[in-house]
Amino acid sequence: TQLLEQSPQFLSIQEGENLTVYCNSSSVFSSLQWYRQEPGEGPVLLVTVVTGGEVKKLKRLTFQFGDARKDSSLHITAAQPGDTGLYLCAGDTSGTYKYIFGTGTRLKVLA
Amino acid sequence: DVKVTQSSRYLVKRTGEKVFLECVQDMDHENMFWYRQDPGLGLRLIYFSYDVKMKEKGDIPEGYSVSREKKERFSLILESASTNQTSMYLCASSPPGGAGNQPQHFGDGTRLSIL
């Protein structure tokens, strides 16, 4: 079974701090997606990365796909309480319909 | 905006009952998925369907079946509910083609408790 390990599992920080969330696997992914899930709702797509070494920015969020396409990171600059939620990475190993989801990082940003 | 609607937000059933979870999407998407979400385990794929009447097993299909008679509707069936099937169930849909670059649109989930 392919696994996507995310770290840390939980993170509680003060507003204005920076943070990085990691998504790691021993498998190579054709593409990797990041989702955010808020309480009582389903996950919502933030970004898709497809090229090794690719960096994408979404306002204060920076996403990077590892050169070998086995890992990814999400960096948040100057976190805000609105960033609170569960962050999930999801990888596609073979261009199929199936996604492998990570274990999730639960982020809480305190005002 | 894509809308994926799950029929119930909360559901309580008894061991041994046959349970139906319904999901409807309004964007004419070919692909539909059922996941369960448990703390520390992320989302695990139960079944997915890439066309009407087509289905494929995901990673944890045991104890579940699915039905896709119409393009917009994908049903998850617990044949004989057991307590270890207590979980959050999420339905998703996506446009046709491979997983890469195709966002999945999720419903808000059904929290199912089996007593």
Side-chain angles (χ1 to χ4, degrees):
Chain A
T1 302
Q2 295 147 335
L3 291 175
L4 268 172
E5 298 286 341
Q6 286 186 240
S7 61
Q9 191 174 358
F10 300 97
L11 194 54
S12 181
I13 61 171
Q14 292 294 131
E15 182 175 4
E17 292 184 18
N18 301 331
L19 68 116
T20 302
V21 175
Y22 300 93
C23 175
N24 294 293
S25 176
S26 56
S27 301
V28 175
F29 292 101
S30 304
S31 65
L32 194 139
Q33 299 176 335
W34 283 92
Y35 291 80
R36 180 170 65 213
Q37 184 179 19
E38 300 188 19
E41 299 182 8
V44 175
L45 180 70
L46 296 173
V47 77
T48 301
V49 286
V50 295
T51 305
E54 182 176 4
V55 176
K56 281 192 173 179
K57 291 194 174 185
L58 185 67
K59 297 183 182 178
R60 294 176 293 100
L61 279 60
T62 301
F63 304 86
Q64 184 160 9
F65 202 13
D67 291 339
R69 291 184 288 126
K70 291 183 178 181
D71 56 86
S72 181
S73 64
L74 158 60
H75 182 80
I76 301 179
T77 303
Q80 298 178 2
D83 295 327
T84 292
L86 178 67
Y87 288 82
L88 294 160
C89 60
D92 154 41
T93 57
S94 56
T96 68
Y97 307 103
K98 290 177 62 173
Y99 300 78
I100 307 296
F101 274 81
T103 47
T105 293
R106 192 166 294 281
L107 171 66
K108 186 167 187 177
V109 182
L110 304 171
Chain B
D1 272 355
V2 176
K3 184 74 174 174
V4 178
T5 303
Q6 295 185 230
S7 54
S8 305
R9 292 298 298 268
Y10 301 94
L11 207 53
V12 180
K13 296 291 182 180
R14 296 213 171 267
T15 303
E17 282 193 66
K18 191 168 186 175
V19 181
F20 293 85
L21 302 183
E22 307 286 346
C23 175
V24 177
Q25 50 97 359
D26 65 358
M27 281 300 292
D28 204 35
H29 283 168
E30 274 73 6
N31 302 330
M32 295 190 74
F33 308 80
W34 274 107
Y35 295 90
R36 62 178 284 175
Q37 183 174 28
D38 300 290
L41 297 177
L43 274 68
R44 292 179 291 166
L45 182 64
I46 304 171
Y47 268 97
F48 68 100
S49 168
Y50 51 89
D51 202 351
V52 175
K53 296 191 186 295
M54 305 302 288
K55 61 186 180 185
E56 286 202 24
K57 294 179 180 179
D59 297 317
I60 51 165
E62 297 77 18
Y64 303 94
S65 63
V66 290
S67 171
R68 190 150 181 220
E69 296 297 318
K70 293 185 178 181
K71 191 175 186 179
E72 67 271 19
R73 187 179 297 271
F74 192 34
S75 303
L76 179 69
I77 304 153
L78 285 66
E79 297 291 343
S80 177
S82 64
T83 54
N84 63 12
Q85 293 177 308
T86 291
S87 186
M88 169 69 85
Y89 289 87
L90 288 163
C91 174
S93 71
S94 72
N101 285 322
Q102 297 295 353
Q104 290 187 89
H105 300 270
F106 285 86
D108 287 337
T110 295
R111 188 165 292 282
L112 175 65
S113 296
I114 306 296
L115 304 179

